[in-house]
Amino acid sequence: MKAVVIGAGEVGYHIAKFLSLTHDVIVVEKNEEVARRADELDVQVLAGNGANADILASILHDVDILVAVTGVDEVNIVACMTAKLIIRSHPGWRETKTIARVSNPDYIDVPVTSRAQVGVDVMICPELALASEVAEVLSTPSAIDTEVFAGGKVQMMEFAIRSDNRLVGQQIRDLKLDDCCIVSAIFRKHEIVIPHGDDVIRANDHVVVVGKPRALEELGRIFGNRGPHRNRILLIGCGIVGFYLAKLIDKDENADLKIIEYRKSRCIEVAEMLENALILNGDGTDVNLLREENIEDMDVVLAVTDNDEKNLLCSLLAKQMGARKVIARADRSDYVPLFEMIGIDMAVSPREATVNEVLKLTMGRGIEKLATLEGEKAEIIEYTASRSSKIIGKSLDRVKFPKGALVTMVVHNDDTIIPRGDTVIREGDRVIVFALSSAVSAVEKFFK
């Protein structure tokens, strides 16, 4: 398989690095310094504008996927449009799937969509995807991550276990989970545990649970939720990500939202578009301002400025001053584990939505949804079993599933099933699999 990545910034570099492990990759980048960084990877680097028709015509004849992820929406869209036009003018050339990263709300109003009419097979708004992800987490105060699978029939939640949690020291079999919930993984420091009944929960573990959404709603009381109350939220930074997020929170009747934004003109602009939020003109690192706004009473503090270092400082201040949960935006991939290592509850990156969509297109048939966890050390993947899938027609105890992978949930017609050894996968079933990244390629073979 051959891929073209246009733009070698943080998102493009990360995509090229991943794809280069198993595919031939060409990176197109006009910035010399950024291109030199990409040249360290096992990829071919071309200097130039990725929307240039001559450059695209010279490389597209056998390309399977083109990913345009520069920082300029119009360049990404034009690159995809031009690629499609070039391919259509050469009937013998391979059909190329195109993906464009787009941030401007004038072009996109949902996290992921298709604009096939203008040559973009998949259009992704990383900022809106991030905002939607965080908004989902806010609905369950003790959760630090959440994803929905199988058209809403299955949900994944990740919970952080604090040192004062009553679950510390308990075995998995003693959790008294609903029959339609299963613990898929435990993230413990640098270790990923696929748990058994006798595994013990420890302080600072992150526990991943998969189950029916209605059942997971009740898990908050087990994992440390407080009783019902209005959610007090402080949002620091109201750029593109902050505004998308503020709009989602502003619609929540059970949330009180305060926003701290440094630019006065932006405060005025945002105030005109949000009905219920309180907008404060100030600096999120101003200790006196944070104290005046009673940061110690906040249920959640969200640091989502365009500067990773500022988000880190704001988050550390919020945590030290008593905020219950702190979520920080980290655009640089190597910052995500650092943020969480120093006590920030959740670090989120806009690039993950783009990366996940690219992975779906490159991993083959049958994949409906993919979510990466723990800095891409593990994945939860939704497959649809087809007639040719090797896994169908056999009970799971007869399937030699790879070590490091677990079938966590099966959706058969409208029934959501926690699989047992005698469970048989049938054609058309949706199968939710938790897998370490090292096991993903082996899992794929069962669904081809």
Side-chain angles (χ1 to χ4, degrees):
M1 182 171 173
K2 192 171 183 179
V4 170
V5 179
I6 297 173
E10 183 63 29
V11 174
Y13 177 87
H14 193 80
I15 290 171
K17 181 179 179 180
F18 186 90
L19 293 180
S20 66
L21 298 175
T22 51
H23 307 297
D24 294 328
V25 179
I26 299 173
V27 174
V28 184
E29 172 57 59
K30 66 178 182 180
N31 183 296
E32 290 184 11
E33 184 177 346
V34 176
R36 277 197 299 271
R37 182 188 179 216
D39 210 20
E40 298 171 359
L41 303 174
D42 184 19
V43 301
Q44 179 185 350
V45 179
L46 297 179
N49 183 346
N52 182 299
D54 292 334
I55 291 176
L56 290 175
S58 69
I59 59 177
L60 278 176
H61 63 282
D62 58 350
V63 167
D64 297 278
I65 183 171
L66 180 143
V67 187
V69 286
T70 75
V72 183
D73 292 353
E74 290 76 15
V75 170
N76 298 335
I77 294 170
V78 170
C80 291
M81 292 174 64
T82 305
K84 288 291 189 181
L85 290 171
I86 291 171
I87 291 163
R88 287 169 190 160
S89 66
H90 294 81
W93 283 17
R94 187 178 302 172
E95 181 64 30
T96 300
K97 291 283 185 181
T98 56
I99 298 178
R101 171 192 178 185
V102 174
S103 299
N104 191 325
D106 290 340
Y107 300 139
I108 188 169
D109 58 0
V110 291
V112 180
T113 188
S114 174
R115 294 286 187 270
Q117 66 271 27
V118 294
V120 183
D121 293 312
V122 181
M123 185 177 283
I124 305 166
C125 178
E127 294 82 3
L128 186 51
L130 182 146
S132 300
E133 177 189 353
V134 173
E136 282 288 329
V137 172
L138 293 179
S139 65
T140 306
S142 58
I144 60 170
D145 197 2
T146 182
E147 293 283 350
V148 175
F149 297 88
K153 293 184 174 67
V154 177
Q155 188 170 15
M156 179 278 293
M157 284 189 180
E158 180 180 345
F159 297 93
I161 306 298
R162 303 178 189 277
S163 58
D164 59 351
N165 193 300
R166 62 186 177 85
L167 298 180
V168 173
Q170 287 194 25
Q171 293 183 332
I172 296 295
R173 63 166 59 95
D174 296 330
L175 289 183
K176 297 179 181 177
L177 297 181
D178 197 293
D179 287 342
C180 49
C181 295
I182 182 173
V183 176
S184 297
I186 297 174
F187 300 131
R188 179 175 295 153
K189 294 183 178 178
H190 303 296
E191 183 184 6
I192 302 177
V193 179
I194 296 181
H196 300 87
D198 56 356
D199 282 305
V200 175
I201 294 176
R202 301 177 188 171
N204 302 314
D205 280 353
H206 286 191
V207 179
V208 176
V209 185
V210 177
K212 291 183 179 180
R214 184 173 297 177
L216 263 64
E217 286 178 10
E218 301 299 320
L219 281 183
R221 59 181 176 79
I222 297 177
F223 287 93
N225 270 9
R226 292 184 288 171
H229 72 290
R230 292 187 66 79
N231 214 10
R232 296 179 291 265
I233 301 170
L234 176 64
L235 176 67
I236 301 173
C238 206
I240 294 176
V241 171
F243 180 65
Y244 278 135
L245 189 49
K247 283 205 302 181
L248 293 172
I249 299 171
D250 198 51
K251 298 174 184 176
D252 185 353
E253 296 179 355
N254 199 40
D256 293 325
L257 175 63
K258 291 182 181 180
I259 299 172
I260 296 178
E261 167 57 46
Y262 187 76
R263 296 163 295 169
K264 188 173 183 179
S265 59
R266 181 63 171 168
C267 288
I268 296 170
E269 183 181 356
V270 170
E272 293 174 351
M273 292 184 280
L274 299 177
E275 295 182 5
N276 304 311
L278 173 63
I279 294 97
L280 305 167
N281 180 216
D283 191 329
T285 62
D286 184 339
V287 174
N288 291 327
L289 176 59
L290 296 177
R291 192 172 287 124
E292 288 171 6
E293 297 306 321
N294 302 313
I295 194 169
E296 69 277 6
D297 294 331
M298 292 295 165
D299 295 298
V300 187
V301 174
L302 306 161
V304 292
T305 75
D306 295 332
N307 184 290
D308 285 358
E309 289 76 14
K310 185 165 186 176
N311 292 336
L312 177 59
L313 181 55
C314 292
S315 300
L316 287 173
L317 285 171
K319 203 68 177 171
Q320 186 177 12
M321 296 175 74
R324 183 173 177 81
K325 182 194 291 186
V326 178
I327 299 174
R329 170 185 175 182
D331 286 346
R332 285 185 53 176
S333 57
D334 52 343
Y335 275 17
V336 172
L338 172 64
F339 277 37
E340 296 180 351
M341 188 187 306
I342 59 178
I344 293 166
D345 297 291
M346 182 181 181
V348 289
S349 171
R351 67 173 171 80
E352 287 187 4
T354 311
V355 172
N356 288 346
E357 286 301 315
V358 173
L359 296 184
K360 275 174 58 180
L361 284 178
T362 58
M363 286 173 65
R365 296 179 302 163
I367 295 180
E368 302 297 328
K369 185 167 182 177
L370 181 149
T372 55
L373 303 169
E374 285 296 291
E376 287 147 37
K377 293 177 184 175
E379 298 171 12
I380 293 184
I381 311 167
E382 177 188 338
Y383 294 95
T384 297
S386 66
R387 182 176 301 176
S388 60
S389 297
K390 296 175 184 176
I391 200 171
I392 67 169
K394 301 176 183 177
S395 59
L396 288 178
D397 56 11
R398 293 177 53 211
V399 175
K400 294 182 179 179
F401 221 55
K403 186 178 180 181
L406 175 71
V407 176
T408 62
M409 200 69 64
V410 177
V411 179
H412 176 69
N413 297 329
D414 289 327
D415 295 329
T416 303
I417 305 161
I418 289 184
R420 309 295 180 193
D422 59 355
T423 300
V424 176
I425 307 297
R426 301 178 180 89
E427 180 183 352
D429 284 356
R430 294 185 176 190
V431 184
I432 316 300
V433 178
F434 173 88
L436 303 182
S437 295
S438 58
V440 169
S441 59
V443 172
E444 288 175 38
K445 295 175 183 177
F446 286 92
F447 293 90
K448 286 185 177 179

